[in-house]
Amino acid sequence: MKNRYKILHGGITATFIDTAMGSSVFQEVGRDRRSVTLDLNISFLKPAVEGWLTSQTRVIKKGRIIIVLETKVADERDRLIARAADGGMERRVGFSRRGIGTCGAPDGGTVSGGAGGDRAFHPGGGSCLHL
């Protein structure tokens, strides 16, 4: 998960952000609608070294077919690590999510294990990732 500089690899951060956005779309439009990312622009603002990262995603615009989102990722000290603007998620195509526990972040959350580490989905469209 970390690069040779011992900080979280940008690709893992991008995957975390994309997953958080997908979770938000799922919560926004329900199970019967599926989606894929159309465009993702990330600004990496500070290195993530250890601990929990949390994300908050908000809907910028929700259309009939495309939904536009913004996600901010912060560390345990609430320092902004990355900010992402999604040029749109097409709401007709596919993703899923499965929960298998709770994370250690303050608000708890549904954890889903994966190759990049544990990630959790929180009330209100947030997610977390443990390094």
mmCIF file with all atom_site columns, all heavy atoms in Angstrom, residues 64-89:
data_model
loop_
_atom_site.group_PDB
_atom_site.id
_atom_site.type_symbol
_atom_site.label_atom_id
_atom_site.label_alt_id
_atom_site.label_comp_id
_atom_site.label_asym_id
_atom_site.label_entity_id
_atom_site.label_seq_id
_atom_site.pdbx_PDB_ins_code
_atom_site.Cartn_x
_atom_site.Cartn_y
_atom_site.Cartn_z
_atom_site.occupancy
_atom_site.B_iso_or_equiv
_atom_site.pdbx_formal_charge
_atom_site.auth_seq_id
_atom_site.auth_comp_id
_atom_site.auth_asym_id
_atom_site.auth_atom_id
_atom_site.pdbx_PDB_model_num
ATOM 1   N N   . ARG A 1 64 ? -30.247 13.042 -14.571 1.00 0.00 ? 64 ARG A N   1
ATOM 2   C CA  . ARG A 1 64 ? -30.976 11.802 -14.872 1.00 0.00 ? 64 ARG A CA  1
ATOM 3   C C   . ARG A 1 64 ? -30.023 10.643 -15.118 1.00 0.00 ? 64 ARG A C   1
ATOM 4   O O   . ARG A 1 64 ? -30.285 9.521  -14.714 1.00 0.00 ? 64 ARG A O   1
ATOM 5   C CB  . ARG A 1 64 ? -31.864 12.028 -16.098 1.00 0.00 ? 64 ARG A CB  1
ATOM 6   C CG  . ARG A 1 64 ? -32.800 10.897 -16.413 1.00 0.00 ? 64 ARG A CG  1
ATOM 7   C CD  . ARG A 1 64 ? -33.732 11.233 -17.560 1.00 0.00 ? 64 ARG A CD  1
ATOM 8   N NE  . ARG A 1 64 ? -33.033 11.662 -18.766 1.00 0.00 ? 64 ARG A NE  1
ATOM 9   C CZ  . ARG A 1 64 ? -32.513 10.830 -19.667 1.00 0.00 ? 64 ARG A CZ  1
ATOM 10  N NH1 . ARG A 1 64 ? -32.593 9.536  -19.485 1.00 0.00 ? 64 ARG A NH1 1
ATOM 11  N NH2 . ARG A 1 64 ? -31.908 11.301 -20.732 1.00 0.00 ? 64 ARG A NH2 1
ATOM 12  N N   . ILE A 1 65 ? -28.859 10.905 -15.752 1.00 0.00 ? 65 ILE A N   1
ATOM 13  C CA  . ILE A 1 65 ? -27.919 9.844  -16.091 1.00 0.00 ? 65 ILE A CA  1
ATOM 14  C C   . ILE A 1 65 ? -26.580 10.017 -15.369 1.00 0.00 ? 65 ILE A C   1
ATOM 15  O O   . ILE A 1 65 ? -25.949 9.045  -14.983 1.00 0.00 ? 65 ILE A O   1
ATOM 16  C CB  . ILE A 1 65 ? -27.694 9.786  -17.615 1.00 0.00 ? 65 ILE A CB  1
ATOM 17  C CG1 . ILE A 1 65 ? -28.997 9.398  -18.302 1.00 0.00 ? 65 ILE A CG1 1
ATOM 18  C CG2 . ILE A 1 65 ? -26.594 8.803  -17.976 1.00 0.00 ? 65 ILE A CG2 1
ATOM 19  C CD1 . ILE A 1 65 ? -28.940 9.467  -19.805 1.00 0.00 ? 65 ILE A CD1 1
ATOM 20  N N   . ILE A 1 66 ? -26.137 11.243 -15.176 1.00 0.00 ? 66 ILE A N   1
ATOM 21  C CA  . ILE A 1 66 ? -24.817 11.494 -14.583 1.00 0.00 ? 66 ILE A CA  1
ATOM 22  C C   . ILE A 1 66 ? -24.954 12.181 -13.237 1.00 0.00 ? 66 ILE A C   1
ATOM 23  O O   . ILE A 1 66 ? -25.790 13.075 -13.061 1.00 0.00 ? 66 ILE A O   1
ATOM 24  C CB  . ILE A 1 66 ? -23.952 12.345 -15.539 1.00 0.00 ? 66 ILE A CB  1
ATOM 25  C CG1 . ILE A 1 66 ? -23.681 11.549 -16.818 1.00 0.00 ? 66 ILE A CG1 1
ATOM 26  C CG2 . ILE A 1 66 ? -22.651 12.767 -14.870 1.00 0.00 ? 66 ILE A CG2 1
ATOM 27  C CD1 . ILE A 1 66 ? -22.943 12.323 -17.878 1.00 0.00 ? 66 ILE A CD1 1
ATOM 28  N N   . ILE A 1 67 ? -24.120 11.756 -12.293 1.00 0.00 ? 67 ILE A N   1
ATOM 29  C CA  . ILE A 1 67 ? -24.055 12.384 -10.978 1.00 0.00 ? 67 ILE A CA  1
ATOM 30  C C   . ILE A 1 67 ? -22.614 12.854 -10.776 1.00 0.00 ? 67 ILE A C   1
ATOM 31  O O   . ILE A 1 67 ? -21.669 12.123 -11.045 1.00 0.00 ? 67 ILE A O   1
ATOM 32  C CB  . ILE A 1 67 ? -24.524 11.410 -9.870  1.00 0.00 ? 67 ILE A CB  1
ATOM 33  C CG1 . ILE A 1 67 ? -24.621 12.107 -8.536  1.00 0.00 ? 67 ILE A CG1 1
ATOM 34  C CG2 . ILE A 1 67 ? -23.666 10.180 -9.800  1.00 0.00 ? 67 ILE A CG2 1
ATOM 35  C CD1 . ILE A 1 67 ? -25.385 11.298 -7.486  1.00 0.00 ? 67 ILE A CD1 1
ATOM 36  N N   . VAL A 1 68 ? -22.431 14.110 -10.363 1.00 0.00 ? 68 VAL A N   1
ATOM 37  C CA  . VAL A 1 68 ? -21.110 14.706 -10.172 1.00 0.00 ? 68 VAL A CA  1
ATOM 38  C C   . VAL A 1 68 ? -20.851 14.843 -8.675  1.00 0.00 ? 68 VAL A C   1
ATOM 39  O O   . VAL A 1 68 ? -21.711 15.309 -7.927  1.00 0.00 ? 68 VAL A O   1
ATOM 40  C CB  . VAL A 1 68 ? -21.018 16.084 -10.867 1.00 0.00 ? 68 VAL A CB  1
ATOM 41  C CG1 . VAL A 1 68 ? -19.650 16.716 -10.640 1.00 0.00 ? 68 VAL A CG1 1
ATOM 42  C CG2 . VAL A 1 68 ? -21.303 15.946 -12.353 1.00 0.00 ? 68 VAL A CG2 1
ATOM 43  N N   . LEU A 1 69 ? -19.638 14.417 -8.233  1.00 0.00 ? 69 LEU A N   1
ATOM 44  C CA  . LEU A 1 69 ? -19.310 14.353 -6.815  1.00 0.00 ? 69 LEU A CA  1
ATOM 45  C C   . LEU A 1 69 ? -18.003 15.060 -6.494  1.00 0.00 ? 69 LEU A C   1
ATOM 46  O O   . LEU A 1 69 ? -17.159 15.256 -7.369  1.00 0.00 ? 69 LEU A O   1
ATOM 47  C CB  . LEU A 1 69 ? -19.162 12.881 -6.392  1.00 0.00 ? 69 LEU A CB  1
ATOM 48  C CG  . LEU A 1 69 ? -20.324 11.968 -6.727  1.00 0.00 ? 69 LEU A CG  1
ATOM 49  C CD1 . LEU A 1 69 ? -19.880 10.533 -6.726  1.00 0.00 ? 69 LEU A CD1 1
ATOM 50  C CD2 . LEU A 1 69 ? -21.448 12.186 -5.754  1.00 0.00 ? 69 LEU A CD2 1
ATOM 51  N N   . GLU A 1 70 ? -17.815 15.363 -5.210  1.00 0.00 ? 70 GLU A N   1
ATOM 52  C CA  . GLU A 1 70 ? -16.540 15.860 -4.695  1.00 0.00 ? 70 GLU A CA  1
ATOM 53  C C   . GLU A 1 70 ? -16.235 15.077 -3.425  1.00 0.00 ? 70 GLU A C   1
ATOM 54  O O   . GLU A 1 70 ? -17.118 14.880 -2.588  1.00 0.00 ? 70 GLU A O   1
ATOM 55  C CB  . GLU A 1 70 ? -16.627 17.340 -4.360  1.00 0.00 ? 70 GLU A CB  1
ATOM 56  C CG  . GLU A 1 70 ? -15.358 17.861 -3.714  1.00 0.00 ? 70 GLU A CG  1
ATOM 57  C CD  . GLU A 1 70 ? -15.500 19.275 -3.201  1.00 0.00 ? 70 GLU A CD  1
ATOM 58  O OE1 . GLU A 1 70 ? -16.396 19.515 -2.369  1.00 0.00 ? 70 GLU A OE1 1
ATOM 59  O OE2 . GLU A 1 70 ? -14.709 20.117 -3.635  1.00 0.00 ? 70 GLU A OE2 1
ATOM 60  N N   . THR A 1 71 ? -14.984 14.629 -3.278  1.00 0.00 ? 71 THR A N   1
ATOM 61  C CA  . THR A 1 71 ? -14.568 13.894 -2.087  1.00 0.00 ? 71 THR A CA  1
ATOM 62  C C   . THR A 1 71 ? -13.333 14.544 -1.492  1.00 0.00 ? 71 THR A C   1
ATOM 63  O O   . THR A 1 71 ? -12.412 14.919 -2.212  1.00 0.00 ? 71 THR A O   1
ATOM 64  C CB  . THR A 1 71 ? -14.254 12.419 -2.426  1.00 0.00 ? 71 THR A CB  1
ATOM 65  O OG1 . THR A 1 71 ? -15.456 11.794 -2.870  1.00 0.00 ? 71 THR A OG1 1
ATOM 66  C CG2 . THR A 1 71 ? -13.728 11.657 -1.220  1.00 0.00 ? 71 THR A CG2 1
ATOM 67  N N   . LYS A 1 72 ? -13.333 14.656 -0.155  1.00 0.00 ? 72 LYS A N   1
ATOM 68  C CA  . LYS A 1 72 ? -12.159 15.139 0.572   1.00 0.00 ? 72 LYS A CA  1
ATOM 69  C C   . LYS A 1 72 ? -11.697 14.015 1.494   1.00 0.00 ? 72 LYS A C   1
ATOM 70  O O   . LYS A 1 72 ? -12.509 13.380 2.163   1.00 0.00 ? 72 LYS A O   1
ATOM 71  C CB  . LYS A 1 72 ? -12.490 16.379 1.387   1.00 0.00 ? 72 LYS A CB  1
ATOM 72  C CG  . LYS A 1 72 ? -12.817 17.572 0.505   1.00 0.00 ? 72 LYS A CG  1
ATOM 73  C CD  . LYS A 1 72 ? -13.126 18.790 1.326   1.00 0.00 ? 72 LYS A CD  1
ATOM 74  C CE  . LYS A 1 72 ? -13.443 19.965 0.403   1.00 0.00 ? 72 LYS A CE  1
ATOM 75  N NZ  . LYS A 1 72 ? -13.805 21.156 1.174   1.00 0.00 ? 72 LYS A NZ  1
ATOM 76  N N   . VAL A 1 73 ? -10.375 13.769 1.523   1.00 0.00 ? 73 VAL A N   1
ATOM 77  C CA  . VAL A 1 73 ? -9.782  12.732 2.368   1.00 0.00 ? 73 VAL A CA  1
ATOM 78  C C   . VAL A 1 73 ? -8.928  13.421 3.428   1.00 0.00 ? 73 VAL A C   1
ATOM 79  O O   . VAL A 1 73 ? -8.099  14.271 3.108   1.00 0.00 ? 73 VAL A O   1
ATOM 80  C CB  . VAL A 1 73 ? -8.910  11.765 1.535   1.00 0.00 ? 73 VAL A CB  1
ATOM 81  C CG1 . VAL A 1 73 ? -8.241  10.731 2.433   1.00 0.00 ? 73 VAL A CG1 1
ATOM 82  C CG2 . VAL A 1 73 ? -9.744  11.077 0.467   1.00 0.00 ? 73 VAL A CG2 1
ATOM 83  N N   . ALA A 1 74 ? -9.132  13.031 4.694   1.00 0.00 ? 74 ALA A N   1
ATOM 84  C CA  . ALA A 1 74 ? -8.384  13.612 5.803   1.00 0.00 ? 74 ALA A CA  1
ATOM 85  C C   . ALA A 1 74 ? -7.766  12.507 6.650   1.00 0.00 ? 74 ALA A C   1
ATOM 86  O O   . ALA A 1 74 ? -8.245  11.373 6.669   1.00 0.00 ? 74 ALA A O   1
ATOM 87  C CB  . ALA A 1 74 ? -9.300  14.473 6.670   1.00 0.00 ? 74 ALA A CB  1
ATOM 88  N N   . ASP A 1 75 ? -6.689  12.854 7.378   1.00 0.00 ? 75 ASP A N   1
ATOM 89  C CA  . ASP A 1 75 ? -6.070  11.892 8.284   1.00 0.00 ? 75 ASP A CA  1
ATOM 90  C C   . ASP A 1 75 ? -6.708  11.999 9.669   1.00 0.00 ? 75 ASP A C   1
ATOM 91  O O   . ASP A 1 75 ? -7.688  12.740 9.863   1.00 0.00 ? 75 ASP A O   1
ATOM 92  C CB  . ASP A 1 75 ? -4.546  12.076 8.332   1.00 0.00 ? 75 ASP A CB  1
ATOM 93  C CG  . ASP A 1 75 ? -4.103  13.396 8.937   1.00 0.00 ? 75 ASP A CG  1
ATOM 94  O OD1 . ASP A 1 75 ? -4.934  14.139 9.507   1.00 0.00 ? 75 ASP A OD1 1
ATOM 95  O OD2 . ASP A 1 75 ? -2.900  13.702 8.830   1.00 0.00 ? 75 ASP A OD2 1
ATOM 96  N N   . GLU A 1 76 ? -6.161  11.248 10.637  1.00 0.00 ? 76 GLU A N   1
ATOM 97  C CA  . GLU A 1 76 ? -6.733  11.218 11.987  1.00 0.00 ? 76 GLU A CA  1
ATOM 98  C C   . GLU A 1 76 ? -6.705  12.575 12.681  1.00 0.00 ? 76 GLU A C   1
ATOM 99  O O   . GLU A 1 76 ? -7.475  12.828 13.591  1.00 0.00 ? 76 GLU A O   1
ATOM 100 C CB  . GLU A 1 76 ? -5.987  10.198 12.851  1.00 0.00 ? 76 GLU A CB  1
ATOM 101 C CG  . GLU A 1 76 ? -6.276  8.774  12.460  1.00 0.00 ? 76 GLU A CG  1
ATOM 102 C CD  . GLU A 1 76 ? -5.504  7.776  13.295  1.00 0.00 ? 76 GLU A CD  1
ATOM 103 O OE1 . GLU A 1 76 ? -4.477  8.138  13.899  1.00 0.00 ? 76 GLU A OE1 1
ATOM 104 O OE2 . GLU A 1 76 ? -5.934  6.614  13.329  1.00 0.00 ? 76 GLU A OE2 1
ATOM 105 N N   . ARG A 1 77 ? -5.815  13.451 12.264  1.00 0.00 ? 77 ARG A N   1
ATOM 106 C CA  . ARG A 1 77 ? -5.720  14.798 12.855  1.00 0.00 ? 77 ARG A CA  1
ATOM 107 C C   . ARG A 1 77 ? -6.534  15.814 12.056  1.00 0.00 ? 77 ARG A C   1
ATOM 108 O O   . ARG A 1 77 ? -6.401  17.004 12.258  1.00 0.00 ? 77 ARG A O   1
ATOM 109 C CB  . ARG A 1 77 ? -4.263  15.236 12.933  1.00 0.00 ? 77 ARG A CB  1
ATOM 110 C CG  . ARG A 1 77 ? -3.465  14.398 13.906  1.00 0.00 ? 77 ARG A CG  1
ATOM 111 C CD  . ARG A 1 77 ? -2.090  14.988 14.088  1.00 0.00 ? 77 ARG A CD  1
ATOM 112 N NE  . ARG A 1 77 ? -1.120  13.910 14.037  1.00 0.00 ? 77 ARG A NE  1
ATOM 113 C CZ  . ARG A 1 77 ? 0.148   14.065 13.787  1.00 0.00 ? 77 ARG A CZ  1
ATOM 114 N NH1 . ARG A 1 77 ? 0.637   15.258 13.549  1.00 0.00 ? 77 ARG A NH1 1
ATOM 115 N NH2 . ARG A 1 77 ? 0.958   13.031 13.770  1.00 0.00 ? 77 ARG A NH2 1
ATOM 116 N N   . ASP A 1 78 ? -7.363  15.303 11.165  1.00 0.00 ? 78 ASP A N   1
ATOM 117 C CA  . ASP A 1 78 ? -8.244  16.112 10.329  1.00 0.00 ? 78 ASP A CA  1
ATOM 118 C C   . ASP A 1 78 ? -7.485  17.016 9.355   1.00 0.00 ? 78 ASP A C   1
ATOM 119 O O   . ASP A 1 78 ? -7.964  18.057 8.949   1.00 0.00 ? 78 ASP A O   1
ATOM 120 C CB  . ASP A 1 78 ? -9.217  16.931 11.187  1.00 0.00 ? 78 ASP A CB  1
ATOM 121 C CG  . ASP A 1 78 ? -10.508 17.223 10.439  1.00 0.00 ? 78 ASP A CG  1
ATOM 122 O OD1 . ASP A 1 78 ? -10.885 16.408 9.576   1.00 0.00 ? 78 ASP A OD1 1
ATOM 123 O OD2 . ASP A 1 78 ? -11.123 18.260 10.708  1.00 0.00 ? 78 ASP A OD2 1
ATOM 124 N N   . ARG A 1 79 ? -6.273  16.591 8.978   1.00 0.00 ? 79 ARG A N   1
ATOM 125 C CA  . ARG A 1 79 ? -5.507  17.313 7.958   1.00 0.00 ? 79 ARG A CA  1
ATOM 126 C C   . ARG A 1 79 ? -5.937  16.802 6.585   1.00 0.00 ? 79 ARG A C   1
ATOM 127 O O   . ARG A 1 79 ? -6.056  15.594 6.374   1.00 0.00 ? 79 ARG A O   1
ATOM 128 C CB  . ARG A 1 79 ? -4.005  17.093 8.141   1.00 0.00 ? 79 ARG A CB  1
ATOM 129 C CG  . ARG A 1 79 ? -3.473  17.700 9.433   1.00 0.00 ? 79 ARG A CG  1
ATOM 130 C CD  . ARG A 1 79 ? -2.016  17.441 9.579   1.00 0.00 ? 79 ARG A CD  1
ATOM 131 N NE  . ARG A 1 79 ? -1.794  15.991 9.659   1.00 0.00 ? 79 ARG A NE  1
ATOM 132 C CZ  . ARG A 1 79 ? -0.645  15.424 9.970   1.00 0.00 ? 79 ARG A CZ  1
ATOM 133 N NH1 . ARG A 1 79 ? 0.421   16.165 10.204  1.00 0.00 ? 79 ARG A NH1 1
ATOM 134 N NH2 . ARG A 1 79 ? -0.531  14.121 10.031  1.00 0.00 ? 79 ARG A NH2 1
ATOM 135 N N   . LEU A 1 80 ? -6.163  17.712 5.668   1.00 0.00 ? 80 LEU A N   1
ATOM 136 C CA  . LEU A 1 80 ? -6.606  17.351 4.324   1.00 0.00 ? 80 LEU A CA  1
ATOM 137 C C   . LEU A 1 80 ? -5.469  16.679 3.563   1.00 0.00 ? 80 LEU A C   1
ATOM 138 O O   . LEU A 1 80 ? -4.405  17.256 3.387   1.00 0.00 ? 80 LEU A O   1
ATOM 139 C CB  . LEU A 1 80 ? -7.093  18.603 3.586   1.00 0.00 ? 80 LEU A CB  1
ATOM 140 C CG  . LEU A 1 80 ? -7.846  18.379 2.293   1.00 0.00 ? 80 LEU A CG  1
ATOM 141 C CD1 . LEU A 1 80 ? -9.104  17.528 2.511   1.00 0.00 ? 80 LEU A CD1 1
ATOM 142 C CD2 . LEU A 1 80 ? -8.227  19.729 1.690   1.00 0.00 ? 80 LEU A CD2 1
ATOM 143 N N   . ILE A 1 81 ? -5.681  15.433 3.143   1.00 0.00 ? 81 ILE A N   1
ATOM 144 C CA  . ILE A 1 81 ? -4.685  14.629 2.435   1.00 0.00 ? 81 ILE A CA  1
ATOM 145 C C   . ILE A 1 81 ? -4.873  14.739 0.923   1.00 0.00 ? 81 ILE A C   1
ATOM 146 O O   . ILE A 1 81 ? -3.922  14.871 0.172   1.00 0.00 ? 81 ILE A O   1
ATOM 147 C CB  . ILE A 1 81 ? -4.795  13.136 2.862   1.00 0.00 ? 81 ILE A CB  1
ATOM 148 C CG1 . ILE A 1 81 ? -4.575  12.989 4.363   1.00 0.00 ? 81 ILE A CG1 1
ATOM 149 C CG2 . ILE A 1 81 ? -3.858  12.253 2.052   1.00 0.00 ? 81 ILE A CG2 1
ATOM 150 C CD1 . ILE A 1 81 ? -3.224  13.429 4.851   1.00 0.00 ? 81 ILE A CD1 1
ATOM 151 N N   . ALA A 1 82 ? -6.119  14.677 0.485   1.00 0.00 ? 82 ALA A N   1
ATOM 152 C CA  . ALA A 1 82 ? -6.420  14.728 -0.950  1.00 0.00 ? 82 ALA A CA  1
ATOM 153 C C   . ALA A 1 82 ? -7.823  15.262 -1.158  1.00 0.00 ? 82 ALA A C   1
ATOM 154 O O   . ALA A 1 82 ? -8.690  15.151 -0.285  1.00 0.00 ? 82 ALA A O   1
ATOM 155 C CB  . ALA A 1 82 ? -6.293  13.343 -1.571  1.00 0.00 ? 82 ALA A CB  1
ATOM 156 N N   . ARG A 1 83 ? -8.023  15.828 -2.337  1.00 0.00 ? 83 ARG A N   1
ATOM 157 C CA  . ARG A 1 83 ? -9.342  16.326 -2.737  1.00 0.00 ? 83 ARG A CA  1
ATOM 158 C C   . ARG A 1 83 ? -9.577  15.842 -4.158  1.00 0.00 ? 83 ARG A C   1
ATOM 159 O O   . ARG A 1 83 ? -8.683  15.907 -4.995  1.00 0.00 ? 83 ARG A O   1
ATOM 160 C CB  . ARG A 1 83 ? -9.360  17.846 -2.695  1.00 0.00 ? 83 ARG A CB  1
ATOM 161 C CG  . ARG A 1 83 ? -10.683 18.432 -3.086  1.00 0.00 ? 83 ARG A CG  1
ATOM 162 C CD  . ARG A 1 83 ? -10.592 19.953 -3.203  1.00 0.00 ? 83 ARG A CD  1
ATOM 163 N NE  . ARG A 1 83 ? -11.782 20.460 -3.827  1.00 0.00 ? 83 ARG A NE  1
ATOM 164 C CZ  . ARG A 1 83 ? -12.039 20.438 -5.129  1.00 0.00 ? 83 ARG A CZ  1
ATOM 165 N NH1 . ARG A 1 83 ? -11.174 19.921 -5.961  1.00 0.00 ? 83 ARG A NH1 1
ATOM 166 N NH2 . ARG A 1 83 ? -13.157 20.922 -5.601  1.00 0.00 ? 83 ARG A NH2 1
ATOM 167 N N   . ALA A 1 84 ? -10.771 15.358 -4.396  1.00 0.00 ? 84 ALA A N   1
ATOM 168 C CA  . ALA A 1 84 ? -11.077 14.821 -5.722  1.00 0.00 ? 84 ALA A CA  1
ATOM 169 C C   . ALA A 1 84 ? -12.387 15.384 -6.247  1.00 0.00 ? 84 ALA A C   1
ATOM 170 O O   . ALA A 1 84 ? -13.351 15.528 -5.498  1.00 0.00 ? 84 ALA A O   1
ATOM 171 C CB  . ALA A 1 84 ? -11.168 13.304 -5.675  1.00 0.00 ? 84 ALA A CB  1
ATOM 172 N N   . ALA A 1 85 ? -12.384 15.685 -7.522  1.00 0.00 ? 85 ALA A N   1
ATOM 173 C CA  . ALA A 1 85 ? -13.602 16.069 -8.224  1.00 0.00 ? 85 ALA A CA  1
ATOM 174 C C   . ALA A 1 85 ? -13.874 14.983 -9.255  1.00 0.00 ? 85 ALA A C   1
ATOM 175 O O   . ALA A 1 85 ? -12.980 14.577 -9.987  1.00 0.00 ? 85 ALA A O   1
ATOM 176 C CB  . ALA A 1 85 ? -13.426 17.420 -8.901  1.00 0.00 ? 85 ALA A CB  1
ATOM 177 N N   . ASP A 1 86 ? -15.074 14.510 -9.246  1.00 0.00 ? 86 ASP A N   1
ATOM 178 C CA  . ASP A 1 86 ? -15.480 13.472 -10.191 1.00 0.00 ? 86 ASP A CA  1
ATOM 179 C C   . ASP A 1 86 ? -16.275 14.147 -11.287 1.00 0.00 ? 86 ASP A C   1
ATOM 180 O O   . ASP A 1 86 ? -17.301 14.756 -11.018 1.00 0.00 ? 86 ASP A O   1
ATOM 181 C CB  . ASP A 1 86 ? -16.330 12.448 -9.448  1.00 0.00 ? 86 ASP A CB  1
ATOM 182 C CG  . ASP A 1 86 ? -16.824 11.319 -10.321 1.00 0.00 ? 86 ASP A CG  1
ATOM 183 O OD1 . ASP A 1 86 ? -16.600 11.369 -11.542 1.00 0.00 ? 86 ASP A OD1 1
ATOM 184 O OD2 . ASP A 1 86 ? -17.425 10.394 -9.774  1.00 0.00 ? 86 ASP A OD2 1
ATOM 185 N N   . GLY A 1 87 ? -15.787 14.048 -12.504 1.00 0.00 ? 87 GLY A N   1
ATOM 186 C CA  . GLY A 1 87 ? -16.480 14.644 -13.637 1.00 0.00 ? 87 GLY A CA  1
ATOM 187 C C   . GLY A 1 87 ? -17.799 13.959 -13.921 1.00 0.00 ? 87 GLY A C   1
ATOM 188 O O   . GLY A 1 87 ? -18.563 14.400 -14.759 1.00 0.00 ? 87 GLY A O   1
ATOM 189 N N   . GLY A 1 88 ? -18.093 12.904 -13.220 1.00 0.00 ? 88 GLY A N   1
ATOM 190 C CA  . GLY A 1 88 ? -19.384 12.256 -13.358 1.00 0.00 ? 88 GLY A CA  1
ATOM 191 C C   . GLY A 1 88 ? -19.298 10.756 -13.205 1.00 0.00 ? 88 GLY A C   1
ATOM 192 O O   . GLY A 1 88 ? -18.320 10.135 -13.566 1.00 0.00 ? 88 GLY A O   1
ATOM 193 N N   . MET A 1 89 ? -20.332 10.187 -12.604 1.00 0.00 ? 89 MET A N   1
ATOM 194 C CA  . MET A 1 89 ? -20.506 8.742  -12.556 1.00 0.00 ? 89 MET A CA  1
ATOM 195 C C   . MET A 1 89 ? -21.757 8.445  -13.353 1.00 0.00 ? 89 MET A C   1
ATOM 196 O O   . MET A 1 89 ? -22.806 9.038  -13.099 1.00 0.00 ? 89 MET A O   1
ATOM 197 C CB  . MET A 1 89 ? -20.633 8.230  -11.128 1.00 0.00 ? 89 MET A CB  1
ATOM 198 C CG  . MET A 1 89 ? -19.345 8.343  -10.340 1.00 0.00 ? 89 MET A CG  1
ATOM 199 S SD  . MET A 1 89 ? -19.415 7.429  -8.805  1.00 0.00 ? 89 MET A SD  1
ATOM 200 C CE  . MET A 1 89 ? -18.383 6.043  -9.209  1.00 0.00 ? 89 MET A CE  1
#
